Amino acid sequence: MKDIDAIGVLQDPVRRRLYEYVAARGEPVSRNEAATAAGIQRTLAAHHLDKLVEAGLLETESRRLSGRSGPGAGRPAKLYRRAAAEHQVSLPPRDYRTAASLLAQIAEEARLDVELQKAAREQGRAARGTPVHDLPEVADLLRARGYEPFADNGTLRMRNCPFHALAEAYPPLVCGMNLALLEGLLGNSEEVRVRIDARPGICCVAVELSKDNYD
């Protein structure tokens, strides 16, 4: 399915609501959970969720929710999570990714990490508005920039990295740039600390807040 067709699937308000709920979760979601969150019947939720899978926007896995195995453990449930694939639409077509990849390659070969991080930090500072201090405010700011944050015991982790493709090809260069950008945007302080914490399937940068600012 073409990117424009996949994104067109989200024009349905119920489907979009289901997608946003699944994408915002830190773990795979069952049909029952998604239906409850969207305020619709399970059969309707299943229909829309499977349409999102067909469009490449969601992925599925099967797992017994009871955690048990063997006789009496019940049938495995179909669970949904946001797909790792990226979808982009540009009319007329543009190829910014190739240009970004070439620039990243040159920057890495020329060992321009320090200069890139300095520019990223300044860019973050320039984009910073009213200072943010508590968890919801930081999460909203990150969400607005496409990071899809979720709370993990007082730490904000991001399911989506806006620079995912480049980070996979040039991890030290791009992750360092990402860190510096968020340092500039959020301002490293005793209240907010941005650090590298690479984990599979999520952004390499995590944001920690002091315990006084969790609420």
Side-chain angles (χ1 to χ4, degrees):
M1 181 174 287
K2 295 180 180 179
D3 283 357
I4 191 168
D5 295 327
I7 293 173
V9 169
L10 295 175
Q11 289 185 338
D12 183 287
V14 174
R15 205 167 289 168
R16 184 177 184 87
R17 194 157 68 245
L18 285 166
Y19 173 77
E20 289 176 345
Y21 177 76
V22 174
R25 294 282 289 162
E27 57 188 6
V29 173
S30 71
R31 288 172 170 176
N32 286 340
E33 182 183 350
T36 300
I40 59 176
Q41 294 183 345
R42 181 183 182 279
T43 53
L44 182 59
H47 168 75
H48 285 303
L49 288 167
D50 288 339
K51 287 294 183 182
L52 291 167
V53 172
E54 291 177 13
L57 296 168
L58 297 181
E59 297 174 346
T60 63
E61 65 179 70
S62 294
R63 190 196 330 143
R64 286 188 174 90
L65 299 181
S66 66
R68 296 178 292 149
S69 59
R75 295 175 58 186
K78 191 174 186 178
L79 304 178
Y80 300 82
R81 63 178 180 273
R82 184 173 63 84
E86 295 182 12
H87 298 276
Q88 297 182 9
V89 174
S90 179
L91 299 173
R94 300 285 190 263
D95 191 8
Y96 300 111
R97 180 175 293 181
T98 296
S101 181
L102 288 170
L103 290 169
Q105 179 182 346
I106 296 301
E108 185 173 74
E109 291 175 355
R111 299 182 179 180
L112 297 175
D113 303 61
V114 173
E115 290 82 357
L116 179 60
Q117 291 171 21
K118 180 181 178 182
R121 198 170 286 108
E122 290 175 352
Q123 176 72 20
R125 290 194 192 103
R128 189 194 307 171
T130 304
V132 292
H133 302 288
D134 61 32
L135 201 67
E137 288 181 345
V138 174
D140 287 345
L141 183 58
L142 293 171
R143 192 174 295 111
R145 301 186 71 86
Y147 283 94
E148 295 186 2
F150 65 98
D152 180 18
N153 295 323
T155 296
L156 279 176
R157 305 189 190 281
M158 280 75 80
R159 267 179 293 277
N160 183 55
C161 172
F163 317 109
H164 174 70
L166 288 177
E168 283 196 324
Y170 309 96
L173 179 78
V174 177
C175 288
M177 178 201 73
N178 192 13
L179 174 69
L181 178 67
L182 291 182
E183 285 177 344
L185 182 67
L186 300 176
N188 257 357
S189 66
E190 292 183 359
E191 295 179 335
V192 180
R193 187 167 75 92
V194 186
R195 61 184 175 87
I196 293 288
D197 186 12
R199 299 191 178 193
I202 61 176
C203 181
C204 61
V205 179
V207 181
E208 287 185 348
L209 280 80
S210 67
K211 291 184 178 181
D212 294 337
N213 295 284
Y214 286 3
D215 299 329

